[in-house]
Amino acid sequence: MRVAVAVGVSTPPVATMRSSCTRRIVAVSYRFVSMHMAAAPLSRTLSTESVAARLTSAGLLRTKGLIGANWTDARDGKTMPVYNPSTGEVIADVPFMGSKDTEDAISSAYDAFPAWSKLTATERSQLLRKWYDLLMANKEEIGQLITLEQGKPLKEAIGEVNYGASFIEYFAEEAKRIYGDIIPPTLNDRRILVLKQPIGVIAAITPWNFPLAMITRKVGPALACGCTAVIKPSELTPFTALAAVELALQAGIPPGVLNVVMGDAPAIGDALMANTRVRKITFTGSTAVGKKLMAGAAGTVKKVSLELGGNAPCIIFDDADLDVAVKGTLGSKFRNSGQTCVCANRILVQDGIYDKFAAAFSKAVQILQVGDGFSEGASQGPLINDAAIEKVTLLLIYIELKGADVLLGGKRHSLGRTFYEPTVLGNISSDMIVSREEVFGPVAPLMRFKTEEEAISIANDTNAGLAAYIFTTNVQRSWRVTEALEYGLVGVNEGVISTEVAPFGGVKQSGLGREGSKYGMDEYLEMKYVCLGDMNRK
Ligand code: NAP
């Protein structure tokens, strides 16, 4: 295994994009302009090298794909580097796999299916429970791996391990509750039954922003139902996936039940879509790729579930509790430096509370500490890569040109690389690009509204429909607005709402299907109607 560390690979410079537009820094009574973020120094408590060495000795820095029982290179020997987004250092190389490797992985999952699906629910449940125990026993190490390759602060990364592992625990329990049905027959010589059976081999394609949880949310229920899987993690964050499946093997989950390929995403995707042995595709990622996969799945009529991008409105009504609204909005917007699908993307604030909220929210944002995920006290890590920071930088240029106010931040952080200042924008309108697109960065746009009807209309004026948040102390309003919002998830006076026990998923172009909860099982099961005839014979 080659672990290339401290190479100091520098990412290409972001083009100097600050245009000649005059930045509007608004003079306000509260003091949050021209601020200096409380930046943690880049001198980190843990270096890429020391974390990599520790994880290697724990056997958790796996650098090959997994096909059956074999940790494998790409057939053609190609590799790709994986970077620490905070420093630009190469953590290690992994195989750059393609369609042939994917075919191998599908065959492996297909061959493992009969034995795995024939285990009793109790046996599968016990193996999943052991996997959960191992994930929890190694949560520090997995958390470090997440910070190393994804960048989020270590505390938040360990939080993701708890969250990710919770799906394995929950679905270990649900494995025992796959009930069928007996239906009263329409003819007296018949009996009508419904069986629920595993769908078969599934393909799980996952993004970089939750390198563990987006995998466990899929394979937890899949394995509980008796399916086997080919996992394709993001090329940006493969190590967490590989460590997780290493622990699955250690737990006794048989080889072939979980397989991991990574590398040439379109080639892998095409191979998965074209193969008739793959009976289901479950994808989390961008809406654009989700649509492509949905079209690809049509050729073999696979079952499809999609968890796609959001454009979450966060509505603060005049009657909101200010502290609750600030805390909830902060939690929703700045988690993972704004890089989640459920991050508040448009913060709609009613006229009467706008100034008070803008001041209190900006004050809270101001104290967020930016730094390497391993540095003490950092709550805002780097963005994932140059493309992410370029996107945020360009968005800022566009909206400043359109007349938005920069209340706080608004530029790359002095730490450089892909660090961006937590930013608050005012005077945003619903036609601005920041209101139309998922920002996926630490930028909080505030928009003023007058009436409840106006807020609902702005909130629903998007093709996305994943998460929405409302802050109000009026119970009737909370019901009225919740019912009117065209979203799959609604947080009322709460900004962080994901949990393994509730159904997660979007409406409109944010996706199809639900993950987590008892409903998450249905995505991996087929119903079989059985009719018993001639039942009056003696
Ligand atoms: P992405 O570019 O769509 O990538 C997601 C996954 O798809 C990665 O594994 C990627 O591989 C793979 N991929 C890319 N092109 C592909 C193709 N042609 N065929 C098959 N696979 C392909 O999304 P991302 O930038 O990683 O993730 C951010 C997006 O995910 C955001 O829009 C966010 O809202 C969404 N998201 C949604 C949820 C949800 O639950 N609704 C949760 C988290 C994130 P490579 O990385 O190797 O290219």
Side-chain angles (χ1 to χ4, degrees):
M1 179 178 61
R2 186 165 85 74
V3 179
V5 286
V7 177
V9 175
S10 62
T11 43
V14 173
T16 313
M17 286 178 293
R18 188 55 71 191
S19 74
S20 56
C21 73
T22 316
R23 301 190 67 204
R24 297 183 59 197
I25 304 286
V26 182
V28 283
S29 55
Y30 30 86
R31 207 190 119 263
F32 56 71
V33 291
S34 307
M35 25 159 351
H36 303 286
M37 305 309 304
L42 245 188
S43 61
R44 290 164 293 124
T45 46
L46 293 168
S47 66
T48 300
E49 191 170 17
S50 68
V51 178
R54 185 177 163 191
L55 291 163
T56 302
S57 69
L60 289 178
L61 189 61
R62 287 282 177 188
T63 57
K64 296 188 176 191
L66 180 68
I67 296 178
N70 302 317
W71 294 99
T72 55
D73 291 316
R75 276 201 191 201
D76 60 8
K78 283 188 189 161
T79 62
M80 61 183 176
V82 181
Y83 299 95
N84 176 340
S86 175
T87 64
E89 293 164 321
V90 174
I91 302 165
D93 287 355
V94 293
F96 185 78
M97 295 171 142
S99 50
K100 291 252 165 37
D101 309 281
T102 307
E103 294 299 336
D104 293 344
I106 295 168
S107 295
S108 163
Y110 187 78
D111 292 345
F113 177 72
W116 178 251
S117 58
K118 284 194 177 67
L119 289 183
T120 64
T122 308
E123 287 166 330
R124 283 199 300 273
S125 172
Q126 285 166 347
L127 290 169
L128 284 169
R129 177 71 207 193
K130 275 191 202 152
W131 187 17
Y132 165 77
D133 289 341
L134 284 175
L135 287 166
M136 294 308 283
N138 290 277
K139 73 174 164 185
E140 283 282 336
E141 289 79 4
I142 306 279
Q144 288 181 8
L145 209 41
I146 292 174
T147 298
L148 196 63
E149 65 178 353
Q150 200 275 337
K152 66 179 68 171
L154 185 57
K155 195 170 159 212
E156 198 175 335
I158 292 172
E160 183 185 338
V161 183
N162 289 326
Y163 174 58
S166 73
F167 290 102
I168 304 301
E169 181 188 40
Y170 181 87
F171 288 108
E173 293 155 1
E174 280 302 293
K176 293 177 277 185
R177 299 185 195 110
I178 303 171
Y179 304 129
D181 225 341
I182 299 177
I183 297 172
T186 50
L187 299 171
N188 72 8
D189 69 338
R190 295 194 178 183
R191 298 295 178 269
I192 295 178
L193 318 174
V194 177
L195 304 183
K196 290 201 180 166
Q197 295 181 306
I199 192 161
V201 174
I202 67 120
I205 302 182
T206 56
W208 50 266
N209 61 347
F210 289 93
L212 179 69
M214 294 304 99
I215 291 175
T216 54
R217 210 162 72 170
K218 298 179 186 311
V219 300
L223 265 56
C225 291
C227 298
T228 56
V230 177
I231 302 168
K232 210 245 22 108
S234 167
E235 63 177 347
L236 303 174
T237 56
F239 295 123
T240 306
L242 295 171
V245 296
E246 160 65 29
L247 293 175
L249 290 175
Q250 287 180 24
I253 291 175
V257 171
L258 291 172
N259 306 273
V260 183
V261 290
M262 70 225 104
D264 184 345
I268 294 170
D270 288 350
L272 291 168
M273 292 311 107
N275 197 305
T276 51
R277 290 172 158 189
V278 177
R279 293 306 315 132
K280 166 161 181 115
I281 165 80
T282 168
F283 170 77
T284 297
S286 61
T287 304
V289 173
K291 286 179 181 177
K292 189 169 177 277
L293 293 173
M294 193 174 174
T300 50
V301 194
K302 294 186 202 316
K303 192 162 173 168
V304 177
S305 39
L306 302 171
E307 295 286 351
L308 309 178
N311 181 5
C314 178
I315 310 172
I316 323 290
F317 288 100
D318 282 347
D319 57 19
D321 179 299
L322 188 62
D323 292 342
V324 171
V326 168
K327 181 168 172 272
T329 308
L330 197 72
S332 165
K333 175 69 251 183
F334 288 99
R335 188 169 163 224
N336 203 5
S337 300
Q339 302 173 108
T340 87
C341 52
V342 290
C343 276
N345 205 54
R346 300 169 288 158
I347 302 168
L348 282 62
V349 192
Q350 202 164 9
D351 235 2
I353 198 174
Y354 184 95
D355 290 337
K356 267 195 286 179
F357 178 84
F361 183 65
S362 299
K363 205 168 150 202
V365 175
Q366 185 172 352
I367 56 177
L368 294 175
Q369 196 166 295
V370 180
D372 181 281
F374 289 116
S375 63
E376 200 59 39
S379 70
Q380 298 290 292
L383 300 190
I384 188 68
N385 57 16
D386 282 353
I389 199 136
E390 281 173 26
K391 180 180 173 188
V392 172
T393 306
L394 280 172
L395 275 178
L396 259 287
I397 291 171
Y398 290 144
I399 60 165
E400 284 180 60
L401 283 169
K402 289 274 187 184
D405 300 330
V406 178
L407 303 181
L408 184 73
K411 59 184 189 305
R412 295 177 80 180
H413 194 276
S414 58
L415 286 173
R417 295 197 45 77
T418 60
F419 290 93
Y420 202 85
E421 291 183 349
T423 294
V424 183
L425 304 171
N427 196 23
I428 296 295
S429 59
S430 54
D431 60 340
M432 289 180 183
I433 189 165
V434 79
S435 309
R436 315 299 315 170
E437 277 196 17
E438 200 178 22
V439 175
F440 240 58
V443 177
L446 306 189
M447 197 184 292
R448 213 182 265 270
F449 72 90
K450 286 195 168 57
T451 65
E452 186 180 302
E453 292 70 27
E454 185 191 0
I456 292 168
S457 158
I458 294 171
N460 287 340
D461 181 21
T462 169
N463 286 329
L466 187 56
Y469 307 90
I470 59 176
F471 290 88
T472 174
T473 51
N474 179 322
V475 178
Q476 290 79 6
R477 168 175 275 161
S478 73
W479 273 102
R480 207 165 49 232
V481 177
T482 296
E483 287 169 5
L485 287 171
E486 297 164 356
Y487 287 83
L489 323 166
V490 179
V492 180
N493 295 321
E494 181 54 65
V496 180
I497 60 174
S498 302
T499 160
E500 74 279 14
V501 301
F504 188 104
V507 302
K508 299 203 267 188
Q509 294 183 26
S510 283
L512 293 174
R514 293 295 180 270
E515 292 190 333
S517 83
K518 62 178 181 176
Y519 306 105
M521 296 289 277
D522 296 338
E523 306 291 338
Y524 301 93
L525 294 168
E526 291 283 20
M527 270 190 278
K528 184 178 282 171
Y529 154 48
V530 183
C531 178
L532 304 184
D534 192 25
M535 293 298 282
N536 290 336
R537 184 198 294 258
K538 293 236 169 96

